[in-house]
Each structure stands twice: as C-alpha cells, then as structure tokens.
C-alpha cells in the first residue's frame, strides 16, 4: 500500500479547486491519498484522510514546520505532491527528500502569468487551467484514470446564491449594480441566499435582505460544512472570481461568474464550470492582474461596467 500526501495550505478557492480535482480522480486500490492543509479546510475533503495545520499558531517558521512534520508522523508517507509550491511547502519538500521520500512539485507558471497580464503582450494566450495543472501533477504519482468533470444539475435543485465579494477590488462587481440583480431575482419566486465574509460585508447583505422579499443573508451564520450543503442545494450561484466559485464547483452547483481585472484564461475557472457562464467584457487591457490586486490604470475599473440585466438573463438560461 502506497501512501501519498498532497499539500495545499491556501487560499480557500485554490484548496476547494484541489478538493474538486481529487474528487474526480479514480485512485488505485493500492494507493492511499491524504491531504495536508489548514485545519479549517477539513470540510472540503469529505471522505479523504485529512491532516490540519494551525499555521497562524504554533506552526510558524522552521521550528513550527518541524513540529508539524512530527505531528503528522511524516515517515508514514511514501511520496509527496506539493500543489502549493511556496517557501513553506518547499521547506517541507526538502525535509521529505532528506527522509528518502519521493516529491513531486506542481509548476505554477509564474513567468507565464506575469506575461499574460503584461500590457506589452498583444497576443495573449490562455494558460493551462489550474485544475488541469493539479490533475497532471497528481497523475504523475498515480496509475488511475480521471473521471470527466461535469457540473451536476439535479432537477430538485432550486433557489439562487449570490456571493458579491472577493479578496480584491479588481474582482468585485459594483455593489449598487449587484443590488439591482438581487432586487430583480427576488421577484422570481426563488429564495435568494446572500453569502459574504467579514462584518462589513454581512452588514451590507443584511440591509439587502431587509429590503427585498425572499432574500436571506447567511454571511457569518454557518459553519463551512453547513455552507457547502446549502450551496449544494442551489440551482445556480452568482459569484466573482473568488473562493465561493470553487466551493460551488466542489459540490456540483452551476456558477454564473463575473470577471473584471482577472480572466478565465489565467486558468482559475471553477472545476466543471462553463466559459459561457463567465460574464466579462472583451477589453484590450484585460487581464491586467492574475489575482486582481493591481489598481486599475484608468482608475475606473471599466472591466466591471456590466449591465445587471446581462447577469439576470444569464442566470435564467
């Protein structure tokens, strides 16, 4: 029996994407796969052996990483698949190699990502999607086959989710326009669930829920496990290029995603989602950022100037 450890600590969307890929891979009977990630990510890996790390607590720095190796009994693993490829995980790779373990590291194509967003690049080409990178890296260690990704649309699914926030300004659809989307969808007869993160976001969503019928804010009110179950029950989820898109992919829910500074060609479209459900403007300045961190050089975020009706119509398809 071969025991393989897959490492990916963050961010939520990337970890959810990895979980969705692992869910679609047929693992040989003589192989066991375990995952090492932040402990709060455990609900994403239902049915998979999981090791949780407290990277904000005791497992900081080299001493903390050495302690983490001890806690997970690293000698039990025969091979490691590093799907994060950052300084922290590379140190773990080094320690595993010193212990005679096989290590496979996922290439992150950092130079290609930089060139994709470079303003001097006039012939932009789509990068290999991140889910495909995960698959290729994992399959180097497996002899199994991949089950085709499909977005599961069950007839009993109903209601609509709306997750209007993202980590960076360049990925957030203007809130006044998103409120118009919520107002219109609240009249369709479906229940609208509003998803968010921090207290400020929850306050905005609570205000929308109070103004429009059939609308409920669930921001900050559910555990990750309960949130996943709610998303699983939805017929469609409206998201930005954010972690919520990947959570929906993980549980087989269709996503209508809105893209601004970032672009699906960078490889971060949710597993099993369709490009026809990506709402975006075809502008020569896009993508200007891989993660949406850069400020708009025109200062108006024209990439997000999208008619709310376009989103409403796409949801109804």
């Amino acid at each position: 029996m071969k025991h393989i450890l897959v490492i990916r600590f963050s961010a939520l969307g990337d970890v959810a994407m990895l979980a969705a890929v692992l869910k679609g891979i047929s693992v040989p009977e003589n192989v066991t796969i375990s995952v090492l990630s932040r402990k709060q990510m455990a609900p994403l890996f239902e049915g998979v052996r999981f090791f949780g790390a407290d990277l904000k607590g005791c497992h900081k720095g080299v001493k903390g990483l050495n302690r983490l190796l001890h806690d997970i009994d690293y000698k039990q693993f025969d091979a490691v698949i590093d799907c994060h490829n950052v300084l922290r995980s590379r140190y773990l790779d080094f320690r595993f190699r010193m212990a005679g373990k096989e290590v496979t590291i996922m290439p992150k194509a950092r130079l290609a990502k930089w060139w994709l967003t470079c303003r001097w690049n006039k012939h932009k080409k789509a990068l290999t999607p991140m889910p495909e990178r995960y698959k290729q890296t994992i399959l180097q260690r497996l002899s199994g086959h991949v089950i085709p990704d499909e977005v599961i649309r069950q007839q009993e699914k109903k209601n609509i989710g709306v997750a209007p926030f993202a980590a960076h300004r360049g990925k957030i659809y203007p809130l006044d326009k998103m409120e118009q989307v919520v107002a219109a969808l609240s009249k369709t007869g479906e229940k609208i669930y509003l998803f968010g993160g921090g207290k400020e976001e929850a306050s905005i969503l609570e205000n929308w829920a109070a103004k429009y019928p059939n609308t409920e804010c669930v921001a900050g009110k559910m555990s990750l496990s309960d949130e996943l179950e709610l998303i699983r029950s939805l017929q469609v989820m409206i998201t930005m290029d954010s972690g919520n898109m990947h959570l929906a992919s993980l549980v087989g829910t269709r996503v209508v995603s809105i893209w601004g500074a970032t672009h699906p060609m960078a490889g971060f479209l949710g597993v099993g989602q369709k490009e026809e459900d990506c709402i975006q403007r075809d502008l020569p300045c896009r993508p200007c950022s891989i993660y949406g961190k850069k400020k708009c050089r025109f200062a108006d975020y024209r990439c997000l100037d999208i008619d709310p009706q376009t989103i409403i119509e796409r949801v109804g398809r």
Side-chain angles (χ1 to χ4, degrees):
M1 179 69 72
K2 191 170 186 177
H3 194 177
I4 299 175
L5 180 68
V6 179
I7 301 174
R8 177 79 210 200
F9 293 118
S10 62
L12 176 60
D14 296 280
V15 179
M17 193 186 306
L18 172 62
V21 169
L22 286 174
K23 185 178 179 181
I25 289 179
S26 179
V27 181
E29 292 183 0
N30 64 337
V31 174
T32 297
I33 287 185
S34 295
V35 172
L36 174 63
S37 187
R38 294 177 185 269
K39 61 182 181 180
Q40 59 265 38
M41 303 295 186
L44 304 180
F45 295 95
E46 184 178 357
V48 177
R49 191 178 182 193
F50 181 84
F51 294 90
D54 180 11
L55 297 178
K56 290 185 178 180
C58 61
H59 298 133
K60 295 171 64 177
V62 171
K63 290 184 178 179
L65 291 172
N66 288 337
R67 178 64 185 176
L68 175 60
L69 289 168
H70 176 269
D71 290 346
I72 66 174
D73 186 17
Y74 72 102
K75 293 182 180 180
Q76 68 178 297
F77 303 105
D78 301 293
V80 174
I81 303 174
D82 181 0
C83 289
H84 205 163
N85 192 0
V86 293
L87 184 61
R88 181 185 285 125
S89 66
R90 293 301 292 268
Y91 175 76
L92 296 178
D93 298 340
F94 166 74
R95 288 294 311 277
F96 277 111
R97 283 197 177 102
M98 291 293 291
K101 312 298 182 180
E102 300 174 341
V103 176
T104 301
I105 301 175
M106 184 188 76
K108 298 188 79 171
R110 291 183 173 94
L111 181 60
K113 290 174 182 176
W114 171 82
W115 181 240
L116 178 65
T117 60
C118 182
R119 69 177 66 184
W120 296 288
N121 181 1
K122 303 303 181 183
H123 304 285
K124 298 182 179 182
K125 296 181 180 180
L127 304 182
T128 301
M130 287 304 296
E132 185 60 30
R133 290 185 189 277
Y134 285 132
K135 284 181 184 177
Q136 291 173 359
T137 304
I138 293 169
L139 289 176
Q140 288 184 42
R141 292 292 176 191
L142 298 178
S143 59
H145 63 278
V146 177
I147 301 171
D149 293 317
E150 293 181 357
V151 177
I152 302 171
R153 294 182 174 87
Q154 301 174 348
Q155 291 184 352
E156 64 269 21
K157 287 192 172 188
K158 59 182 181 178
N159 302 326
I160 298 170
V162 179
F165 298 102
H168 304 292
R169 171 67 183 86
K171 299 198 291 186
I172 300 176
Y173 184 58
L175 293 180
D176 58 333
K177 293 186 177 183
M178 183 57 83
E179 184 176 357
Q180 294 178 47
V181 174
V182 171
L185 293 176
S186 70
K187 300 175 183 177
T188 63
E190 299 289 354
K191 183 75 175 284
I192 311 300
Y193 291 99
L194 306 176
F195 296 80
K199 292 183 179 180
E200 185 176 346
E201 295 176 0
S203 177
I204 294 170
L205 300 180
E206 289 285 6
N207 181 49
W208 291 1
K211 290 170 66 175
Y212 304 110
N214 305 315
T215 304
E216 180 181 346
C217 171
V218 297
K221 299 178 181 179
M222 291 183 165
S223 66
L224 180 56
S225 296
D226 290 339
E227 195 169 293
L228 285 169
E229 285 306 308
L230 176 57
I231 296 172
R232 189 194 306 274
S233 72
L234 301 175
Q235 63 170 305
V236 63
M237 184 91 161
I238 303 171
T239 77
M240 309 301 102
D241 170 17
S242 68
N244 280 294
M245 172 176 62
H246 300 295
L247 293 181
S249 292
L250 178 60
V251 295
T253 294
R254 176 192 170 210
V255 173
V256 170
S257 53
I258 303 168
W259 300 72
T262 60
H263 197 291
M265 71 165 58
F268 290 98
L269 180 61
V271 175
Q273 302 297 342
K274 296 185 176 181
E275 287 198 26
E276 65 192 50
D277 278 334
C278 298
I279 297 178
Q280 54 190 326
R281 295 191 65 192
D282 185 13
L283 298 175
C285 58
R286 291 187 62 240
C288 66
S289 173
I290 294 296
Y291 305 111
K293 293 181 180 180
K294 295 180 181 179
K295 291 184 179 180
C296 174
R297 65 174 179 263
F298 304 110
D300 58 6
Y301 291 97
R302 59 191 63 182
C303 55
L304 288 162
D305 185 14
I306 297 168
D307 187 345
Q309 190 61 33
T310 301
I311 301 169
I312 296 165
E313 291 176 357
R314 191 68 56 84
V315 168
R317 286 187 181 179

